[in-house]
Amino acid sequence: MKELLTIFFRRKWHAIFFFIFMVTVPMMLAYILPPKYEAKATLLLTPGREKKPFLPDEKDARASFMQVSMEDVGSEVELLLSYPVLSVVVDKNHLDRDVAPPKEEYAKYIAYMTLKGINDSLIKIGLKNYVPKREDAIGRLSKKLNVEFIKRTNIISVKWRGSSPELAMNVVNAAVDAYLDHHIKVYGNYQAYNTVKMQMDDSFKRLTDMENRLSAYNSRKSISDIDNEHKVILIKLSEAESKTKILESLAMKDKEMATAELGNISGDPAFLDLSGKLTDAELRRIELLSKFGADDRKVMSVNKEIEEIKGFIKQRLKHNLVTWTELAKSYREQLNGIDRSKIDIDRMRRDLENLTQEYQLNKGKYNELLIAKNMDSALISSVKVVEYASISSAPVFPKRMIILIISLFFGTFGGLVYAFAFDKFSGRIMSVQDIESLSRMPVLSSVKQYSRNELNVSKDLIPVSEKLSVATGEGSKSILFVSPSPKAGTSFLCENLMKLISTNPNNLSVYVTFRHSKWSNEEVVTDAKIIFASLASISDYISRKNGESFDRLNININFEDVESMENIASELIKVLKERYKYLLLDFPSPKSGMYYLKFVPYADQIFLVAAYNITGAHPFMRMQDVIIHHQGKIVGCIFNRRKDVIPAFIYNRFF
């Protein structure tokens, strides 16, 4: 908990600035960006005409169970987003026109011109391909037209956002109307109307021709009812053949039959007259035989008459046999003709029946197409418009309240994450533990961040002064303070350490500050105890001031002195150590050069100074390695400007 609060208060400004950025930028955009208005239309998808009859009857029991599948809904969504529909919407609403906002709306106009300039630049340098405005408008409409179906329903919703309520409504309604027209064109089959009508007319013509041929054949053959005529002729033929056979059998036998029976068999009324005459003659013969005997002339005359009558009967029998034979032959010929006619008529009737079925089928197709055509003309389809889009004056974007809430949320948590991440990856020294883990050396002093009113840091530097007094019996000491980062406070530490050492009169010490500049070598005296001189002449100057002590020397190192600095450094330290017990060497600006390394071999003790949240871990380790490489004697580290970032009232309450 303490570590988290420390990081938070240490990076509070990072969190605050991130919070301000995350809130300010979205809110500025919310007021600069043009508002967007949304329009919505709703469609209902029902089973199409291809799935159920237009007028279902009782036989169409499956019609009520037809359902719309997910494939059907997906197909309709693709139809709505197809190129023919979108192109009609773009052309109707002139979406390919790029209209700039008025110059009075300065922010929007600047944003528009900036985006347009960026787009034109990308096209010119070849990073973006040039697309015609109409094609680009269709592509943008395809991406921004929101078409979706509601789960577990047959409802399809169409949404689009525009710069004005009227434009949004017009675009959505134009998309719905264009989709309905395209849907009818895709599912309608009115293109086959003329073809099916030609087939129906052709089948009707062939049917009519066959009916005329059958009627003409019946007229030519004088046939009204061929089946009845066939039956009648068959009965007559059977009767004629039966009588012919009987008469033939009677004609072949010399057997006498009753004349009345012969009349009934032959159907000849003449036999009745002959039968009466024969009966009368036989009665007279019987009467004459009883009166005159068989030899009487009258009896013989009657017998002759009887013989003549019987001869007539035989002749009549033969005549009837010939008549019935010819009549049977005639009936057979008529029956054969009727059979042939019946075969022809049956064939024509079969052809007529087939043509009738073909005509009825083509007529049914024609009627279906006629109904479909009328339904297409009436815009009757499987898609119903539940509601068209209407004007909505409330903009859906930007929703400033939602943007503010989201910005506050992300600004708060994002600021915390950014602060912790920045602190984690800053690579700077934040604690004594960081120094010890990096340098593997003890931290002699941890100096906190003092205000201007409390500059007493003696108590923090006591461990450093004790480290200096360990070898007091060995003569004078040269102590080097150096830090890899500027503003680490080495001069501040040296000044306060100088005050701490000077409390003992026997500890004669001098504080030497080296600065890198291009000042002239002329001596400038601004104070009795502060001398400005060049490095080349400092030894001579001190020799000329023999017997005079100084507690502070500010030496400005010239660029030309760097090459010969090593000899000068050894001579300078030698001269100063002869006069002072403690020689404090300060290099406050290491970035101006690596000239402090010339003094490293001649320094008795070296202190590495790391400043809180200023000194980087990598430069600190690198400086340590460089000093060791140049035979430097590092005795410890000093942690400067340590801060207690947690406010006191919080720290005292929780820790």
Side-chain angles (χ1 to χ4, degrees):
M1 182 67 179
K2 181 179 180 180
E3 183 179 357
L4 294 177
L5 287 177
T6 301
I7 295 174
F8 170 73
F9 284 105
R10 183 164 56 226
R11 303 298 179 186
K12 61 180 178 298
W13 289 113
H14 292 83
I16 292 172
F17 287 137
F18 186 89
F19 175 82
I20 294 174
F21 176 81
M22 288 299 298
V23 174
T24 303
V25 173
M27 291 306 298
M28 289 178 61
L29 293 176
Y31 282 94
I32 292 175
L33 293 177
K36 295 291 184 181
Y37 300 88
E38 186 177 77
K40 176 184 177 182
T42 307
L43 304 174
L44 174 65
L45 183 61
T46 59
R49 301 200 301 268
E50 71 279 359
K51 285 194 171 186
K52 65 178 183 180
F54 178 62
L55 296 173
D57 53 17
E58 296 179 356
K59 297 180 180 179
D60 299 314
R62 67 185 185 89
S64 59
F65 295 99
M66 288 296 176
Q67 296 182 355
V68 178
S69 63
M70 295 299 296
E71 290 79 6
D72 296 333
V73 178
S75 300
E76 297 304 321
V77 171
E78 291 299 322
L79 279 179
L80 209 155
L81 293 175
S82 61
Y83 182 87
V85 175
L86 300 180
S87 60
V88 172
V89 177
V90 169
D91 296 337
K92 188 175 182 180
N93 294 277
H94 308 291
L95 297 181
D96 53 343
R97 296 180 181 177
D98 193 7
V99 181
K103 293 184 178 180
E104 290 76 11
E105 300 179 0
Y106 185 74
K108 296 179 181 179
Y109 180 79
I110 292 296
Y112 169 81
M113 295 304 296
T114 302
L115 294 176
K116 188 175 185 302
I118 294 173
N119 184 67
D120 294 341
S121 301
L122 293 176
I123 293 175
K124 287 182 180 180
I125 63 179
L127 294 178
K128 186 176 180 182
N129 296 327
Y130 171 76
V131 181
K133 290 185 178 180
R134 184 174 183 271
E135 184 178 347
D136 183 57
I138 294 174
R140 284 187 282 106
L141 180 62
S142 176
K143 295 178 182 179
K144 294 183 179 180
L145 189 63
N146 186 8
V147 180
E148 59 182 6
F149 60 91
I150 303 175
K151 293 182 179 179
R152 302 182 183 277
T153 66
N154 298 339
I155 299 294
I156 299 176
S157 66
V158 184
K159 301 177 183 178
W160 189 78
R161 294 181 178 182
S163 58
S164 66
E166 294 79 8
L167 179 60
M169 179 189 69
N170 294 334
V171 168
V172 173
N173 290 338
V176 171
D177 293 337
Y179 159 67
L180 292 177
D181 294 338
H182 189 59
H183 172 86
I184 291 173
K185 290 180 181 179
V186 170
Y187 287 101
N189 46 12
Y190 63 90
Q191 298 90 345
Y193 175 78
N194 295 328
T195 303
V196 174
K197 188 175 185 303
M198 290 176 60
Q199 291 179 351
M200 184 190 69
D201 294 340
D202 180 67
S203 61
F204 179 75
K205 182 180 179 182
R206 289 188 284 114
L207 176 63
T208 304
D209 293 341
M210 183 56 67
E211 289 178 347
N212 293 334
R213 285 176 57 191
L214 181 60
S215 178
Y217 186 86
N218 291 332
S219 299
R220 187 172 65 253
K221 297 293 185 178
S222 299
I223 299 174
S224 59
D225 189 355
I226 191 169
D227 293 330
N228 188 35
E229 291 183 8
H230 183 273
K231 182 178 180 181
V232 171
I233 295 298
L234 185 61
I235 293 173
K236 289 180 178 181
L237 176 61
S238 177
E239 183 183 1
E241 288 180 347
S242 176
K243 290 184 177 183
T244 300
K245 290 180 180 180
I246 295 173
L247 291 175
E248 286 179 350
S249 64
L250 292 175
M252 292 175 62
K253 299 177 181 179
D254 292 335
K255 183 180 178 180
E256 293 185 359
M257 291 186 65
T259 308
E261 293 178 0
L262 291 174
N264 292 331
I265 293 172
S266 63
D268 188 359
F271 278 100
L272 296 176
D273 184 38
L274 291 175
S275 177
K277 289 180 178 182
L278 180 61
T279 301
D280 292 340
E282 288 179 348
L283 290 175
R284 284 198 312 271
R285 188 182 66 171
I286 294 172
E287 183 180 357
L288 291 174
L289 282 175
S290 62
K291 289 181 179 183
F292 302 106
D295 296 329
D296 186 61
R297 181 178 62 82
K298 292 181 180 180
V299 173
M300 295 176 61
S301 176
V302 172
N303 288 334
K304 185 178 180 180
E305 182 181 359
I306 290 172
E307 292 296 330
E308 290 179 354
I309 291 171
K310 288 183 178 180
F312 287 143
I313 290 172
K314 289 183 178 180
Q315 291 179 358
R316 195 66 186 174
L317 178 61
K318 292 179 180 179
H319 176 72
N320 286 333
L321 178 60
V322 172
T323 300
W324 281 108
T325 301
E326 293 178 353
L327 190 60
K329 183 179 179 181
S330 174
Y331 285 154
R332 185 169 296 280
E333 291 178 354
Q334 291 182 18
L335 184 62
N336 292 334
I338 289 175
D339 288 339
R340 288 191 297 271
S341 299
K342 190 173 187 303
I343 292 174
D344 294 337
I345 290 174
D346 289 342
R347 183 175 62 251
M348 287 188 287
R349 283 179 176 175
R350 286 195 301 271
D351 294 341
L352 182 63
E353 183 178 358
N354 293 333
L355 290 174
T356 302
Q357 292 179 357
E358 181 180 353
Y359 171 71
Q360 293 296 333
L361 180 61
N362 291 331
K363 186 177 180 181
K365 293 181 180 179
Y366 174 77
N367 291 333
E368 290 180 1
L369 286 175
L370 190 61
I371 293 174
K373 183 179 180 181
N374 293 329
M375 292 175 68
D376 293 345
S377 301
L379 299 179
I380 298 175
S381 64
S382 59
V383 180
K384 314 297 181 185
V385 180
V386 178
E387 61 174 346
Y388 276 99
S390 58
I391 294 179
S392 178
S393 57
V396 295
F397 176 84
K399 294 183 177 180
R400 293 167 183 167
M401 182 59 69
I402 296 179
I403 292 175
L404 178 60
I405 294 173
I406 295 175
S407 299
L408 291 174
F409 176 80
F410 281 102
T412 302
F413 290 94
L416 294 175
V417 172
Y418 174 73
F420 280 89
F422 186 87
D423 188 84
K424 182 69 176 178
F425 297 102
S426 64
R428 296 179 180 179
I429 295 175
M430 300 295 176
S431 63
V432 173
Q433 291 76 15
D434 293 341
I435 300 175
E436 292 177 346
S437 63
L438 292 172
S439 63
R440 304 291 181 181
M441 299 188 69
V443 178
L444 301 177
S445 177
S446 177
V447 182
K448 72 173 186 176
Q449 178 74 37
Y450 287 99
S451 64
R452 293 182 179 272
N453 297 327
E454 48 175 4
L455 296 179
N456 186 14
V457 295
S458 300
K459 60 179 181 180
D460 295 330
L461 295 177
I462 291 175
V464 179
S465 64
E466 292 177 353
K467 189 70 175 179
L468 296 178
S469 61
V470 170
T472 52
E474 297 180 2
S476 300
K477 292 290 183 181
S478 59
I479 302 96
L480 176 63
F481 290 84
V482 66
S483 175
S485 56
K487 300 181 180 180
T490 55
S491 301
F492 173 77
L493 295 176
C494 287
E495 289 178 358
N496 286 275
L497 185 61
M498 184 76 177
K499 294 178 181 179
L500 182 62
I501 295 173
S502 299
T503 55
N504 187 350
N506 298 324
N507 294 337
L508 185 62
S509 58
V510 63
Y511 166 41
V512 182
T513 301
F514 297 91
R515 300 184 183 276
H516 194 262
S517 67
K518 291 184 179 181
W519 290 4
S520 65
N521 294 334
E522 296 181 0
E523 302 167 3
V524 180
V525 180
T526 60
D527 191 277
K529 295 182 179 182
I530 300 177
I531 300 174
F532 296 88
S534 64
L535 185 61
S537 60
I538 187 64
S539 299
D540 296 338
Y541 186 84
I542 294 176
S543 299
R544 284 188 278 115
K545 298 291 183 179
N546 190 17
E548 187 176 351
S549 61
F550 309 95
D551 60 357
R552 181 184 180 98
L553 292 175
N554 286 357
I555 302 175
N556 298 301
I557 302 174
N558 201 328
F559 285 107
E560 288 77 7
D561 295 333
V562 176
E563 298 297 332
S564 59
M565 189 182 297
E566 185 172 356
N567 295 329
I568 299 174
S570 62
E571 183 180 355
L572 176 63
I573 292 178
K574 181 180 179 182
V575 172
L576 292 177
K577 288 177 71 174
E578 291 176 354
R579 301 172 62 88
Y580 299 96
K581 185 177 182 179
Y582 293 105
L583 176 61
L584 304 182
L585 305 177
D586 175 28
F587 289 87
S589 181
K591 282 191 174 182
S592 58
M594 301 290 288
Y595 52 84
Y596 70 93
L597 294 175
K598 304 298 181 180
F599 292 83
V600 166
Y602 308 105
D604 297 316
Q605 293 178 336
I606 300 176
F607 291 92
L608 287 179
V609 180
Y612 175 86
N613 198 21
I614 295 177
T615 303
H618 178 71
F620 186 81
M621 295 177 62
R622 184 174 180 274
M623 174 171 276
Q624 180 184 5
D625 294 339
V626 170
I627 292 174
I628 294 174
H629 179 72
H630 285 76
Q631 290 82 37
K633 304 177 186 65
I634 303 176
V635 296
C637 302
I638 300 175
F639 186 42
N640 192 22
R641 297 185 179 180
R642 172 179 54 83
K643 292 183 180 180
D644 296 327
V645 293
I646 303 177
F649 69 92
I650 297 179
Y651 188 88
N652 296 331
R653 183 177 181 86
F654 294 99
F655 306 105

